[in-house]
Amino acid sequence: MRMNLPRLAGLLCALVLAAAATAAPVSVEDDHGHTVALPAPARRVISVAPHATELVFAAGGGARLVGVVAYSDYPEAARAIRQIGNNKALDLEAIAALKPDLIVVWRHGNAQRQLDKLRELGVPMYQSEPRRLEGIATSIERLGRLLGSEDTARAEAARFRARLQLLREQHAGRAPVRTFYQVWRNPLMTLNDQHMVSDVIRLCGGVNVFGSLDQLVPTLADEAVLQADPEVILGAAMGATRSEAAAVGLDSWKRFGRLQAVARQNLVAIDGDLINRPTPRILLGAEQLCAALEAARRKRPR
């Protein structure tokens, strides 16, 4: 028996509504220890950080993203999603009009004023800021629960953990390499041991020479680097932000010929999208960083 289209559409709509009505509440703890509770898995999600966009896709929720910020460029499908601003300025009216049921934010990348405005919308917010490599897998699993895509998220998290374990085994017991990671040249900025990048350095057998500083992103003087005399100086090359005026700025260290990193030609730039974004792709950056530290070991005087 043939069924006319209006009746079929009505039945499909009823099925969707019934499914929504019977969906169970979900809740997780975000990366800052706050409970995020939803009456049902999220269906309309906004990401206000490029790394959060990647994590939502990894967790199986890419099709539910209705808004993202500038430089949400991976995977390719993210480029087609409506942009609702950038990390400096969000279009709050556009966000409200998209009627999200979950917003994924980055506490240290989105200004506090913006986060306060987002809270006024009354939409549940998941704060994404994993500080350790294992936290990436955990974040994927948590987002999968909020999105109702737990099977996909668990599989992706398992793949990440397996690749991470392989890297750990490959680089376990390697001789330490004293490393300086340059975030910015002017003013000179680095990262302490609480940041994800330092966990990547440790994975490769490196030691962050400024890891013990109190601030997450400390500002330094050149003299501090000269005194620390790192064996390797790392910097992030431009990835998605290539259009901005910033440059990695490692060449400026070449005038300090007495630095070990300069004398041994250990000035290393790694794609910022692969080293600064806490997403599964960070293991690609880790492979490059580990290779750079291994090359530095081979250059040591015998």
Side-chain angles (χ1 to χ4, degrees), residues 52-284:
T53 301
E54 289 193 37
L55 289 177
V56 170
F57 270 95
R64 296 174 188 174
L65 279 166
V66 295
V68 298
V69 289
Y71 305 121
S72 291
D73 64 329
Y74 189 88
E76 185 64 28
R79 299 174 183 268
I81 301 172
R82 178 176 176 180
Q83 290 194 7
I84 43 77
N86 55 46
N87 68 319
K88 296 179 180 179
L90 298 175
D91 187 338
L92 296 174
E93 290 186 4
I95 291 173
L98 288 169
K99 302 186 185 309
D101 47 18
L102 177 67
I103 302 176
V104 186
V105 305
W106 176 25
R107 178 173 166 184
H108 281 92
N110 301 119
Q112 187 60 48
R113 179 180 57 82
Q114 291 181 327
L115 296 183
D116 291 341
K117 290 292 185 181
L118 285 174
R119 286 191 183 92
E120 293 177 5
L121 299 178
V123 179
M125 287 171 39
Y126 179 98
Q127 296 190 47
S128 173
E129 192 168 9
R131 295 288 182 86
R132 296 291 180 267
L133 289 163
E134 170 61 29
I136 294 173
T138 303
S139 290
I140 292 171
E141 290 171 330
R142 290 171 174 171
L143 287 168
R145 178 158 178 74
L146 291 177
L147 297 164
S149 54
E150 290 177 275
D151 290 345
T152 299
R154 277 196 295 264
E156 180 62 30
R159 282 191 290 271
F160 180 86
R161 290 188 176 106
R163 292 171 58 206
L164 176 58
Q165 181 59 27
L166 181 60
L167 282 172
R168 290 196 193 285
E169 292 172 357
Q170 289 173 340
H171 300 281
R174 305 302 294 155
V177 179
R178 300 181 72 256
T179 304
F180 166 55
Y181 184 78
Q182 177 179 291
V183 175
W184 204 254
R185 187 63 184 96
N186 188 23
L188 183 59
M189 301 168 72
T190 188
L191 303 168
N192 73 5
D193 272 343
Q194 298 306 307
H195 196 280
M196 175 74 71
V197 170
S198 289
D199 207 29
V200 179
I201 293 172
R202 285 189 293 271
L203 170 70
C204 299
V207 177
N208 181 351
V209 295
F210 295 111
S212 62
L213 295 181
D214 292 335
Q215 289 182 298
L216 183 68
V217 187
T219 300
L220 307 169
D222 287 359
E223 289 72 19
V225 179
L226 295 175
Q227 184 174 359
D229 194 18
E231 193 172 351
V232 172
I233 297 179
L234 297 170
M238 296 300 101
T241 56
R242 190 179 305 278
S243 62
E244 294 185 350
V248 68
L250 296 183
D251 285 349
S252 64
W253 293 107
K254 291 181 179 178
R255 71 182 188 274
F256 301 111
R258 65 184 177 86
L259 277 173
Q260 290 186 70
V262 174
R264 300 179 190 174
Q265 298 181 3
N266 290 333
L267 303 178
V268 180
I270 297 176
D271 185 333
D273 292 351
L274 302 184
I275 195 68
N276 289 329
R277 293 187 186 185
T279 74
R281 290 197 297 161
I282 201 169
L283 295 186
L284 297 175

Side-chain angles (χ1 to χ4, degrees), residues 18-25 39-41 43:
T22 59
R43 291 293 180 268

